[in-house]
Amino acid sequence: NLEPSQRRQIRRERIKRKRLKRKKIRRNLIFIVLSILLIYSARNAMIHFGFIKYENGESTVFKNIWSNNSELLGTVMIDAGHGGNDSGTTEAEIPEKELNLKIALQIQRSLEKKGVRVWMTRKDDRYVSLEERVIKAQKEQPDLFISIHQNSFEDSSVRGMEIWCNEEKSIGGEESRNLAKKIEDTISADVEMISRGIVADCDLQVLRQTEIPAVLIEIGYVTNLEDRRLIFSEDYQKKVTEYIAEGVVAYLLQNNANELI
């Protein structure tokens, strides 16, 4: 049996512990509330001053707050082929220019989520000449240039994705081939994807005159019924854009690692 003084002491200790526990809970709650308010205020301030913007419900935070010297992985210019009065191939229900833009914007969003800064040669249905596309690349000086197109051919049995590059140009030629290989490896790893491989080309202006690693990706043949069905599929577009983004990120990570050696 405890003495009365001992019981009083035990009760005082219990009361003290309960008070300390309540104080700790109050401090934690206050910290959580203040943190939420701080984050919310900072977000509103960034939106107000234009650091965060939303396009089609997606945050373009990476594009707006990174400077040229503060990218996490690198910079890429995405070129949606054709546009405006240049429709590209019209052998499908939707002109090529619209498909190119839709897929290019999806690649932009996917890359930005992965920590890559992205510029677009066009963001809507407007005509941009080949020379203007090259000039934009020279002005922004991205690490990579990727042009998106759809293919067509008189033989409707021909299908599959192709990645074109100019490995002969003096600046960025060899790396263009390496970039194409990274993207092609990512795509061909999926047995459901049809890849026709890498195509060497020295004539395409956006590949020849961009003095950086550059590729032109033909997503598929709209003249082939199966390719056309896939190209118009939202699920397929999402899969293709993810594979392209993964290939780009793999190239950038390898390139950054090589520069550190």
Side-chain angles (χ1 to χ4, degrees):
N1 293 331
L2 298 174
E3 296 292 329
S5 62
Q6 291 177 317
R7 288 197 293 271
R8 286 195 297 272
Q9 179 64 28
I10 290 172
R11 283 198 299 271
R12 283 196 293 268
E13 289 296 327
R14 287 176 179 171
I15 293 171
K16 183 178 180 180
R17 284 197 296 271
K18 287 181 180 179
R19 287 175 177 172
L20 289 173
K21 187 176 181 179
R22 285 197 294 269
K23 286 183 179 179
K24 185 176 181 180
I25 291 173
R26 282 199 297 269
R27 284 199 302 268
N28 289 341
L29 286 173
I30 292 172
F31 176 77
I32 291 171
V33 171
L34 289 176
S35 298
I36 292 172
L37 289 174
L38 181 62
I39 292 171
Y40 183 76
S41 298
R43 173 185 172 277
N44 286 344
M46 293 178 75
I47 292 174
H48 176 74
F49 289 106
F51 291 114
I52 297 179
K53 295 180 181 178
Y54 288 88
E55 294 176 2
N56 300 322
E58 295 280 351
S59 170
T60 58
V61 61
F62 290 122
K63 179 178 64 178
N64 289 286
I65 66 175
W66 288 343
S67 67
N68 286 336
N69 299 316
S70 60
E71 306 86 24
L72 293 182
L73 288 178
T75 56
V76 176
M77 179 163 285
I78 304 295
D79 172 43
H82 306 285
N85 59 9
D86 177 11
S87 296
T89 181
T90 56
E91 300 195 40
E93 305 88 88
I94 301 175
E96 180 190 351
K97 64 177 184 178
E98 294 184 23
L99 284 170
N100 294 342
L101 181 60
K102 185 177 181 180
I103 292 172
L105 290 172
Q106 290 184 54
I107 297 172
Q108 176 196 15
R109 289 191 288 270
S110 182
L111 284 174
E112 287 181 343
K113 288 176 182 177
K114 297 177 188 298
V116 178
R117 188 180 185 188
V118 178
W119 287 287
M120 305 291 291
T121 57
R122 68 181 181 96
K123 299 179 182 178
D124 50 27
D125 184 19
R126 69 177 63 189
Y127 175 75
V128 183
S129 70
L130 296 176
E131 183 179 4
E132 288 176 305
R133 297 169 199 260
V134 172
I135 290 173
K136 283 189 176 185
Q138 292 172 338
K139 176 184 176 183
E140 302 297 350
Q141 296 186 330
D143 297 316
L144 308 174
F145 183 94
I146 298 173
S147 189
I148 302 299
H149 287 259
Q150 314 299 319
N151 223 333
S152 64
F153 194 59
E154 57 187 17
D155 182 352
S156 62
S157 67
V158 177
R159 61 173 303 206
M161 183 181 298
E162 297 173 353
I163 305 175
W164 294 53
C165 69
N166 183 342
E167 54 189 319
E168 300 299 324
K169 64 181 181 180
S170 58
I171 302 178
E174 181 179 352
E175 286 305 308
S176 293
R177 178 80 183 192
N178 292 338
L179 172 60
K181 184 70 166 57
K182 280 293 181 186
I183 298 174
E184 208 275 333
D185 286 346
T186 308
I187 291 168
S188 58
D190 187 332
V191 294
E192 295 182 0
M193 304 289 286
I194 304 298
S195 173
R196 292 171 57 84
I198 299 170
V199 181
D201 183 274
C202 297
D203 295 324
L204 294 172
Q205 188 171 351
V206 294
L207 300 183
R208 185 180 73 252
Q209 294 185 354
T210 47
E211 297 179 343
I212 50 175
V215 296
L216 186 148
I217 304 175
E218 299 276 8
I219 302 297
Y221 280 79
V222 296
T223 43
N224 177 271
L225 289 177
E226 184 60 20
D227 265 12
R228 187 160 70 237
R229 181 187 67 80
L230 291 173
I231 291 169
F232 288 135
S233 163
E234 297 286 341
D235 290 339
Y236 185 79
Q237 289 176 12
K238 183 177 180 181
K239 180 187 282 191
V240 166
T241 56
E242 275 301 308
Y243 284 150
I244 293 173
E246 287 173 12
V248 169
V249 168
Y251 173 87
L252 289 171
L253 286 173
Q254 182 185 63
N255 192 58
N256 290 342
N258 291 339
E259 288 181 356
L260 293 175
I261 296 176

